[in-house]
Amino acid sequence: MNDTPSASPALQAAPGRWRRFACMMYEAILLFGVVFVADYLFDTLTQSRHALMLRHERQAWLFCVIGVYFVLCWRLGGQTLPMKTWHIRLIDAGGGRPPVWKAVLRYVLAWPFTLTGLGFVWTFFDHDRQFPHDRIVGTRLVSTR
């Protein structure tokens, strides 16, 4: 897939809130597997016996693993598997796939907005129904239907 858009990014419709929410729930289920494998690898390599052992290192490891998953998916195809299923794509201002630095920054900024629910609430006040971390980074979610 190339980085040239099929239509102007401004003309591409944003996916609905419930479709995004369903995509996030599917993403959470899929991430369970990613976290399980990453945590198993961490426990094996560090010989930790329980979840509280090396707690901060484990959290940093999982933050990085989940970040690699998202950044690679967004950079390589603009979509994770749940985003493909729900026909949602991440694009940059030019309509192509976001560069690595934007994908990384979007991932880091998404955490506080997603965990607090402010990102979802923000979409009710944003004229294009975009998340605040997308506004900050210069990316947007579009419907591929």
Side-chain angles (χ1 to χ4, degrees):
M1 184 174 149
N2 59 16
D3 284 340
T4 56
S6 57
S8 170
L11 300 177
Q12 292 177 294
R17 287 176 195 89
W18 289 112
R19 203 160 102 210
R20 281 193 238 183
F21 183 72
C23 183
M24 283 190 263
M25 293 301 101
Y26 183 10
E27 198 77 69
I29 294 167
L30 190 76
L31 280 174
F32 178 81
V34 173
V35 168
F36 181 84
V37 171
D39 200 41
Y40 178 77
L41 182 62
F42 180 86
D43 285 340
T44 302
L45 293 175
T46 61
Q47 297 295 305
S48 59
R49 302 280 182 209
H50 55 82
L52 294 179
M53 200 169 158
L54 302 171
R55 183 178 61 170
H56 299 296
E57 292 83 355
R58 179 186 313 274
Q59 290 171 344
W61 165 251
L62 292 176
F63 179 81
C64 291
V65 168
I66 294 169
V68 166
Y69 162 76
F70 278 113
V71 170
L72 281 177
C73 288
W74 292 335
R75 181 57 197 133
L76 296 177
Q79 299 171 299
T80 61
L81 179 61
M83 290 171 78
K84 287 178 186 176
T85 303
W86 287 96
H87 306 286
I88 298 170
R89 173 167 283 135
L90 179 69
I91 60 173
D92 68 357
R97 290 175 297 204
V100 173
W101 72 269
K102 280 189 176 185
V104 170
L105 185 57
R106 182 182 194 270
Y107 170 72
V108 171
L109 291 175
W111 276 96
F113 290 116
T114 303
L115 291 176
T116 61
L118 291 175
F120 192 72
V121 171
W122 175 277
T123 64
F124 286 95
F125 302 102
D126 188 88
H127 67 282
D128 287 331
R129 295 181 304 198
Q130 295 299 319
F131 290 121
H133 48 277
D134 285 316
R135 285 281 176 219
I136 294 167
V137 177
T139 57
R140 58 184 285 124
L141 293 174
V142 295
S143 178
T144 58
R145 284 189 176 169

